[in-house]
Amino acid sequence: MLPVALRTERLVLDLPVETDVELVAHYCTDPLFRTYLTTPWPYTVEHARAFLVEYVPAAWRSGDELTWALRRGAGAPLLGVVGLRRGNEIGYWLGAEHRGEALMAEAVDAVCNWALAGGVGDAESVLWRANEGNLASAQVARAAGFRRTTPRIATVPGRDGRVLPAWHAERRAEPEPDAYASWEPILGSAR
């Protein structure tokens, strides 16, 4: 598959490229990444370069993972990343300096809308999961219209191969009426 650029009211989602190496390396040293993501730790410039130069282009070609850089405009610095893996599972991260503006929810919504409108074959839903306790990721999923689910086995793989308890959610083309309320047990009811 060839990379696809997406646009929202405030963002351009395009291919992360080698010139993003320094920012990816900087953002991925955030201590929250160690706790909640499966990125290598400690994260280095070499990890960022391999991700951007080797993994991202190859994964787009194979369709294994479609990865977008979030930018405030064409050619602007990278703010974060959204990836849609084979099986329609979404993952994302945002640089600490850019949190608090609902940019990631906007980007995730755009990727879901694209995927569910035919961008990814006959996808009927997009799946989300995160380590229990990752409230920021859960808040993004709720804002992007995901409905929290409780699978029989609610886990996610950890960096070291361990299986960790996880929260799960699903997003369909038309958000389900109880999607927002489904998050109340972990996020409360405040809008």
Side-chain angles (χ1 to χ4, degrees):
M1 174 178 265
L2 294 174
V4 174
L6 305 173
R7 295 188 186 281
T8 71
E9 184 178 319
R10 300 180 294 166
L11 298 169
V12 170
L13 283 71
D14 63 10
L15 188 68
V17 293
E18 188 171 10
T19 56
D20 298 319
V21 164
E22 294 298 325
L23 283 173
V24 169
H26 166 69
Y27 295 146
C28 290
T29 61
D30 183 330
L32 288 176
F33 284 39
R34 181 179 188 187
T35 303
Y36 294 119
L37 302 183
T38 57
T39 52
W41 193 266
Y43 200 88
T44 66
V45 169
E46 291 76 27
H47 291 124
R49 184 167 285 105
F51 172 67
L52 295 167
V53 175
E54 298 167 22
Y55 180 78
V56 168
W60 266 99
R61 281 191 302 275
S62 69
D64 287 340
E65 184 168 1
L66 313 178
T67 304
W68 288 269
L70 280 65
R71 304 179 195 282
R72 292 191 190 268
L78 177 137
L79 309 173
V81 168
V82 175
L84 187 64
R85 292 176 207 94
R86 188 176 300 279
N88 300 327
E89 183 177 338
I90 201 161
Y92 43 84
W93 57 259
L94 190 65
E97 327 46 334
H98 310 293
R99 296 178 191 150
E101 299 178 58
L103 295 172
M104 187 53 76
E106 187 175 320
V108 168
D109 184 56
V111 170
C112 289
N113 288 339
W114 172 81
L116 297 170
V120 177
D122 58 355
E124 294 181 12
S125 66
V126 174
L127 306 175
W128 168 91
R129 62 184 174 161
N131 294 10
E132 277 187 8
N134 192 342
L135 294 172
S137 187
Q139 289 167 340
V140 167
R142 176 173 68 179
F146 282 77
R147 182 183 181 281
R148 194 167 76 79
T149 60
T150 308
R152 188 174 61 78
I153 301 173
T155 60
V156 66
R159 176 181 299 107
D160 59 3
R162 289 182 300 143
V163 176
L164 305 171
W167 293 326
H168 291 243
E170 182 176 32
R171 158 86 188 265
R172 297 193 174 275
E174 294 295 323
E176 296 176 54
D178 66 340
Y180 192 90
S182 72
W183 295 95
E184 288 180 7
I186 58 175
L187 296 177
S189 60
R191 286 203 183 246

